[in-house]
Amino acid sequence: MSPPVDLHDFLAGFLAEADEHLRSARANLLALEGAAERGEASPRPTRELFRSLHTIKGLAAMVGVEPVVDIAHGLEAVLRAADRAGGRVGAEAIGPLVEGVRAIERRVQALGAGEAVTPAPARLFEALARLEPAAPAEGGGAPALPEELAARLSAGEREQLLAGVSGGRRALRVHFTPSPARAAEGVTITSVRERASALGELVKVYPVSVPKGEAAPGGLKFALVLLTDAPDDEVARAASADGPPELLLAGGRPAPGPALEGEDDESPVAGAGRSVVRVDVRRLDEAMEKLSALIVSRFRMGRAVAALEARGADVRELKHLAEEDRRQLRDLRASILRLRMVSVAELLEPVGLLVRGLGRATGKAVRLELEGGRAELDKAVAERVWPALVHLVRNAVDHGLEAPDERRRAGKPAEGVVRVGCEGRSNGRLEISVEDDGRGVDRAAVAARAGAPVPEGDAALLDLLARPGLSTRERATHTSGRGLGMDIVKRVVEAELGGELLLHTAPGRGTRFTLRVPQTVTLVDALGFACAGQTFLTPVSAVDEIVEVEPSEAASAPSPRPRAGAPRVLFRRGEALPLVDLGRLFGLGGAGSSKALVVRRAGRPYAFGVGGLLGQYEVIVRPLEDPLVRVAGVAGSADLGEGRPTLVLDLVALSATLSGGGAAA
């Protein structure tokens, strides 16, 4: 008797596969909503959403997650009826569909976190059952299709063909005959589908029986129905077709001419589709651990080589090998980091559904503008940034944007705008912004709620907004009012990620929050420096400038009550910077500062005096998880091969201590 199969072995694969299909489902839901608002059919998004849910249902059944199976099955029934009606989804169906996809998403997340998966909500099934089937699409006057093809197409597929043709594309059909020789060359129906899809919309792929006497191993070939603007010869090459394409329906625009000579090798169909391997993040963490051990060994080898050289040994060959080892480790580091990176566009995908739900909950008309670009960030950073983005987007819709009537009275369009964008910086940091065109932050109201003076600048206003427990709402709602949002955002961005949170607001014009975060917080380039005989590290990306501290350029800060250890001021290019000696700040003493590391917080520069610089290191940063050893301004620790941890400082967070009058230089 065979041993029982442990379905938990498939859990990691299920989570990765489900996450991919949920991303596709969210994108197609937004497309369905847009089409429903315009009163248009959306056959392709309807069928793509159905396929995603059908795949999730099958995967969930394999690992025994019955609530997900039930929800997906209920959503399929609605989409199947819509597909039969030509891809027309009524506006009343969008809400239950969104709720259903969210319900699946929550249960998949619970499964990944090792929590109990709750049963499917009864009210969701009641809402799905109340939906009336959409009216069938009118087909009068439509161009005729071959009878044998028309019998194979669903109403949604016919609608998709007609919509594509009315938009100027041609509907073509090509045939592909598989064979062992073609399979040996990597040409299969799967690769043909991928290459044909790159040229347009692949509407239908179906098997065709081959009459006796016709060369076709297995007696079978495939027909591919495609909407495209590409020339016939390019389509035939992409599909490895048995002959020239058959024109089913002609579009409104003339077909493009033949491809330019010499462009074939650069065509996107020249090779097979890109292969993707899904990897559990824990495996990437294991690779990072191995890399950490190699980096520590490199530090120890460098010290051993230096010791030999100090004793007069010839270490030229060893130095050459050490340098080669350093280059190879840097390449390995870059490769592992690339594996951990996810696109910002992927991170921002769920924002569309979030804004849609918030708009309906608050009764506000909202248009979302997303710009993720091609920026990437570490998955660990993305997981921490996402809750902060959710809070900021929720505040933009609920607090920032006015109701439609109020906007009209202010001379604004009834529809408010929320912009979420990302821009990469050359110092290894990303700048993510959440902006609205609403009423702006009422400084006086915030000050009154906090029982504090009215803040003069945006930085002071942000500090007030981020006070724990502060809310500008009189009563809590299901979207806001609990006094947790901005406190969480500030803690995530500044304390956990060592980044910077900025605010700019103007009355009647809107508010913009800017998050400046590192692309990765795990493996970083760090600057080593000494303070009172101890070694510290800080990320290079956080340091704005390194300056020499000359006695003539440093002076005591003016104070109504001069005292020992009062803060000092560093004069740099006509600008006065607060100067804090790190050795004295940490109670280590020291002989003063010879250099200063300049960082910026809320746009203002701060200087930290250090005894001297030790060089630049590539280190694995390990966070301090124990609350008993957490200290403000300490991001974690790293191993430099000395047999003891070296603290990694977050100087931007440390600059906050200056407002409280920290120890001086």
Side-chain angles (χ1 to χ4, degrees):
M1 182 176 178
S2 301
V5 178
D6 186 359
L7 293 180
H8 288 285
D9 294 342
F10 299 99
L11 184 58
F14 165 74
L15 294 174
E17 190 84 18
D19 182 64
E20 180 177 328
H21 286 288
L22 282 169
R23 286 203 304 271
S24 174
R26 287 191 291 265
N28 285 306
L29 270 175
L30 290 174
L32 285 180
E33 182 180 34
E37 290 176 349
R38 296 187 300 270
E40 299 174 355
S42 49
R44 186 178 186 185
T46 300
R47 285 190 284 116
E48 291 296 330
L49 179 57
F50 180 90
R51 289 169 183 164
S52 295
L53 293 171
H54 188 71
T55 303
I56 291 173
K57 183 177 78 170
L59 294 169
M62 184 182 72
V63 295
V65 191
E66 292 303 322
V68 172
V69 175
D70 295 340
I71 296 170
H73 184 74
L75 298 177
E76 280 182 339
V78 175
L79 293 169
R80 187 179 292 109
D83 183 59
R84 289 170 180 164
R88 295 186 179 274
V89 178
E92 72 283 355
I94 299 297
L97 288 173
V98 171
E99 184 181 351
V101 171
R102 283 179 174 166
I104 292 175
E105 189 171 13
R106 285 193 292 269
R107 282 153 183 81
V108 170
Q109 290 172 347
L111 186 65
E115 301 171 355
V117 179
T118 57
R123 60 181 178 80
L124 172 62
F125 293 121
E126 293 171 1
L128 295 174
R130 287 194 297 268
L131 295 176
E132 293 292 334
E138 295 296 332
L145 289 168
E147 289 186 10
E148 49 86 18
L149 174 60
R152 291 179 177 271
L153 297 178
S154 67
E157 289 165 343
R158 287 195 297 272
E159 183 78 16
Q160 183 179 358
L161 269 180
L162 298 177
V165 170
S166 64
R169 284 184 161 183
R170 297 181 304 148
L172 303 178
R173 178 168 58 181
V174 292
H175 290 89
F176 166 75
T177 302
S179 69
R182 284 182 163 181
E185 297 173 355
V187 181
T188 64
I189 184 59
T190 301
S191 65
V192 166
R193 286 177 64 113
E194 291 174 347
R195 295 187 304 188
S197 297
L199 295 180
E201 294 184 42
L202 191 57
V203 178
K204 185 82 171 180
V205 178
Y206 59 92
V208 179
S209 299
V210 178
K212 288 184 178 181
E214 186 173 330
L220 190 71
K221 62 181 178 180
F222 292 91
L224 295 87
V225 180
L226 181 71
L227 283 167
T228 182
D229 289 328
D232 287 357
D233 57 347
E234 193 172 344
V235 173
R237 281 197 306 274
S240 299
D242 301 336
E246 173 191 356
L247 179 63
L248 299 173
L249 297 172
R253 294 191 302 265
L260 295 176
E261 190 174 350
E263 289 187 342
D264 292 350
D265 292 340
E266 298 297 323
S267 171
V269 301
R274 186 179 66 170
S275 298
V276 176
V277 177
R278 297 183 182 88
V279 180
D280 192 332
V281 175
R282 288 174 295 185
R283 296 190 179 185
L284 297 179
D285 292 338
E286 290 175 6
M288 191 68 77
E289 288 293 329
K290 303 300 182 184
L291 178 61
S292 175
L294 289 174
I295 289 175
V296 173
S297 297
R298 191 195 73 200
F299 290 147
R300 296 177 61 187
M301 181 172 64
R303 288 191 175 84
V305 171
L308 288 174
E309 186 176 26
R311 292 199 293 266
D314 183 1
V315 295
R316 286 175 294 180
E317 184 65 22
L318 277 177
K319 278 188 171 181
H320 174 73
L321 291 174
E323 180 61 25
E324 184 66 23
D325 178 67
R326 187 191 70 82
R327 285 195 295 267
Q328 291 175 354
L329 274 178
R330 190 167 185 86
D331 291 343
L332 179 60
R333 168 208 174 187
S335 297
I336 292 179
L337 280 180
R338 282 196 296 270
L339 289 174
R340 294 180 60 90
M341 291 293 178
V342 296
S343 70
V344 174
E346 178 181 315
L347 171 70
L348 299 180
E349 275 181 358
V351 173
L353 287 180
L354 174 64
V355 169
R356 176 199 174 277
L358 290 169
R360 290 180 178 272
T362 59
K364 298 177 181 179
V366 189
R367 184 176 82 251
L368 175 66
E369 295 181 0
L370 277 179
E371 181 51 60
R374 297 185 178 181
E376 293 182 323
L377 74 169
D378 192 310
K379 185 170 178 60
V381 177
E383 290 174 349
R384 298 185 195 182
V385 164
W386 174 246
L389 285 177
V390 170
H391 284 298
L392 292 178
V393 171
R394 182 179 291 126
N395 282 351
V397 177
D398 199 18
H399 291 280
L401 296 181
E402 310 94 332
D405 290 344
E406 183 181 347
R407 291 180 64 87
R408 292 190 190 98
R409 289 194 298 269
K412 296 181 178 181
E415 184 180 59
V417 179
V418 174
R419 299 180 184 88
V420 183
C422 178
E423 185 177 351
R425 297 297 183 185
S426 58
N427 61 353
R429 295 203 159 211
L430 294 177
E431 192 169 283
I432 304 174
S433 61
V434 178
E435 183 177 4
D436 65 73
D437 67 344
R439 60 173 64 90
V441 180
D442 188 333
R443 299 172 188 271
V446 172
R449 295 287 295 179
V454 177
E456 295 183 1
D458 288 339
L461 176 60
L462 178 60
D463 289 339
L464 207 57
L465 286 170
R467 283 190 180 183
L470 177 69
S471 174
T472 56
R473 290 280 189 193
E474 293 291 342
R475 291 181 299 175
T477 67
H478 72 287
T479 56
S480 63
R482 296 168 181 81
L484 299 175
M486 290 310 304
D487 177 34
I488 292 174
V489 173
K490 193 173 181 67
R491 184 172 70 247
V492 167
V493 174
E494 297 187 353
E496 296 184 13
L497 295 176
E500 188 177 10
L501 179 64
L502 303 175
L503 165 68
H504 175 71
T505 184
R509 296 172 58 186
T511 302
R512 181 178 69 251
F513 286 94
T514 303
L515 293 72
R516 292 175 180 166
V517 297
Q519 283 185 293
T520 178
V521 293
T522 306
L523 205 166
V524 300
D525 287 318
L527 190 66
F529 56 89
C531 283
Q534 291 196 27
T535 300
F536 295 93
L537 298 166
T538 193
V540 172
S541 61
V543 178
D544 194 58
E545 187 179 359
I546 302 172
V547 298
E548 297 284 343
V549 178
E550 300 291 343
S552 60
E553 296 177 343
S556 297
S559 173
R561 295 181 179 179
R563 57 184 172 82
R568 302 187 70 193
V569 174
L570 176 67
F571 294 97
R572 181 197 60 163
R573 296 191 292 274
E575 184 180 24
L577 283 66
L579 173 63
V580 171
D581 185 281
L582 282 175
R584 295 183 184 179
L585 181 65
F586 293 148
L588 302 174
S593 307
S594 62
K595 295 185 181 296
L597 308 179
V598 180
V599 300
R600 289 187 177 271
R601 176 177 176 268
R604 294 181 56 194
Y606 296 84
F608 289 92
V610 300
L613 300 181
L614 304 177
Q616 186 168 323
Y617 303 86
E618 298 167 16
V619 297
I620 303 285
V621 180
R622 301 184 183 280
L624 301 178
E625 301 290 353
D626 191 338
L628 296 177
V629 297
R630 282 184 186 171
V631 179
V634 178
S637 66
D639 190 346
L640 298 182
E642 298 175 333
R644 61 179 182 179
T646 301
L647 292 180
V648 181
L649 303 183
D650 179 359
L651 297 182
V652 176
L654 269 179
S655 65
T657 63
L658 294 181
S659 60

